[in-house]
Amino acid sequence: MILLKTAKDLEAMKVAGRISAEAIKVARDQLRPGVTTAHIDEAVRKFIISRGATPSFLGYAGFPASACISVNDEIVHGIPGGRLIEEGDIVGIDVGACYRGYHGDNAATFGVGKVSEEAQKLMTVTRECLERALAVAVKGNRLGDIGFAVQSHAEENGFSVVRDYIGHGVGKDLHEDPEVPNYGRAGRGIRLMPGMTIAIEPMINAGGAKVRVLGNNWTAVTADGSLSAHFEYTVAITESRPLVLTPWQEVLG
Ligand code: MG
């Protein structure tokens, strides 16, 4: 069941989203060669709590950290720990904050120092996929328009779309209906309505779409070892333009 949000719901979601976006910046500012992913996660956790919110991911389905930190061939759900960030890595930071019972959820991928041409192109195209999806996240369009926007742009650039993980509704629960796939056919699927709040989150691989889950039962990696990138906004569908509730692009400047 899709829960439409009232103006009052959206006020709390804006705060949750802003804190989530600022947490992306906190993580980005810690990223440098030699730092552990656990150190970045700790900075994120402290920041979210300092803002009067709680980390949405910590304890969610047993997840042991406040951020998912996914490096290079890791697609999503990287568990922070002793891994050292290295020059040339691409690092996906996915973080959510819960404020007054409402969640924000967002992600961005950053290069550390000088990255390969392929890595740079993958990050650029994945971010463009998100922006193209956002552009069609308007009242009257359908969920398939979002999936098509992502898939067509990724594939035109020689990349592939992860199918095993998808976007989702977000609100009082971190994951609500509807499912928001990053693939699909234009004009198909549920019609977008004002008050819907969805996490749009393209996960794009430089190689094939196939996924493997590591022995920790969380971390998804590309089956072929190729690089993967991930960007995400929580978005509210409105009467006019979509409203980005997690404005990390603005926070990062
Ligand atoms: Mg999400």
Side-chain angles (χ1 to χ4, degrees):
M1 186 178 59
I2 297 172
L3 299 167
L4 299 180
K5 276 68 176 186
T6 64
K8 190 160 172 275
D9 295 328
L10 288 176
E11 284 313 307
M13 286 193 71
K14 271 186 202 169
V15 180
R18 165 66 61 165
I19 296 167
S20 304
E22 289 174 357
I24 292 278
K25 182 176 188 296
V26 167
R28 196 273 316 260
D29 290 349
Q30 296 292 329
L31 262 183
R32 58 186 175 275
V35 78
T36 65
T37 53
H39 172 84
I40 297 166
D41 178 66
E42 180 65 4
V44 164
R45 187 181 66 82
K46 282 185 176 157
F47 168 75
I48 291 172
I49 290 168
S50 79
R51 293 291 309 269
T54 53
S56 299
F57 298 178
L58 187 61
Y60 183 87
F63 191 77
S66 300
C68 297
I69 304 181
S70 305
V71 183
N72 295 336
D73 64 326
E74 294 174 348
I75 300 166
V76 285
H77 304 163
I79 299 179
R83 180 172 186 160
L84 295 171
I85 297 297
E86 294 178 25
E87 171 86 15
D89 283 347
I90 64 169
V91 182
I93 307 285
D94 188 352
V95 54
C98 183
Y99 180 80
R100 295 196 176 163
Y102 292 88
H103 295 277
D105 188 6
N106 64 173
T109 302
F110 301 101
V112 180
K114 193 168 166 43
V115 302
S116 70
E117 229 169 87
E118 182 192 50
Q120 187 54 58
K121 184 183 172 195
L122 177 67
M123 289 190 291
T124 301
V125 168
T126 307
R127 188 166 172 171
E128 289 168 353
C129 286
L130 176 58
E131 295 298 341
R132 282 168 184 247
L134 179 67
V136 297
V138 295
K139 174 187 164 185
N141 279 354
R142 292 177 183 271
L143 276 174
D145 295 309
I146 290 175
F148 178 78
V150 172
Q151 183 181 7
S152 56
H153 189 60
E155 292 179 355
E156 276 162 22
N157 282 281
F159 298 138
S160 61
V161 172
V162 171
R163 309 250 171 174
D164 300 65
Y165 299 87
I166 56 179
H168 49 92
V170 53
K172 282 190 171 172
D173 285 318
L174 183 59
H175 296 103
E176 297 183 349
D177 288 338
E179 296 188 332
V180 184
N182 294 303
Y183 51 88
R185 292 166 66 182
R188 298 297 181 94
I190 290 168
R191 210 178 272 286
L192 301 175
M193 290 172 61
M196 286 175 67
T197 47
I198 54 174
I200 304 175
E201 49 175 324
M203 290 154 257
I204 307 297
N205 296 348
K210 271 201 179 154
V211 165
R212 185 167 65 83
V213 177
L214 298 185
N216 63 25
N217 285 328
W218 275 105
T219 309
V221 301
T222 58
D224 60 10
S226 66
L227 294 173
S228 188
H230 179 208
F231 289 87
E232 175 181 28
Y233 290 142
T234 296
V235 174
I237 310 300
T238 75
E239 290 291 345
S240 55
R241 303 295 308 147
L243 178 63
V244 176
L245 295 169
T246 55
W248 51 257
Q249 79 293 357
E250 177 194 317
V251 170
L252 294 173

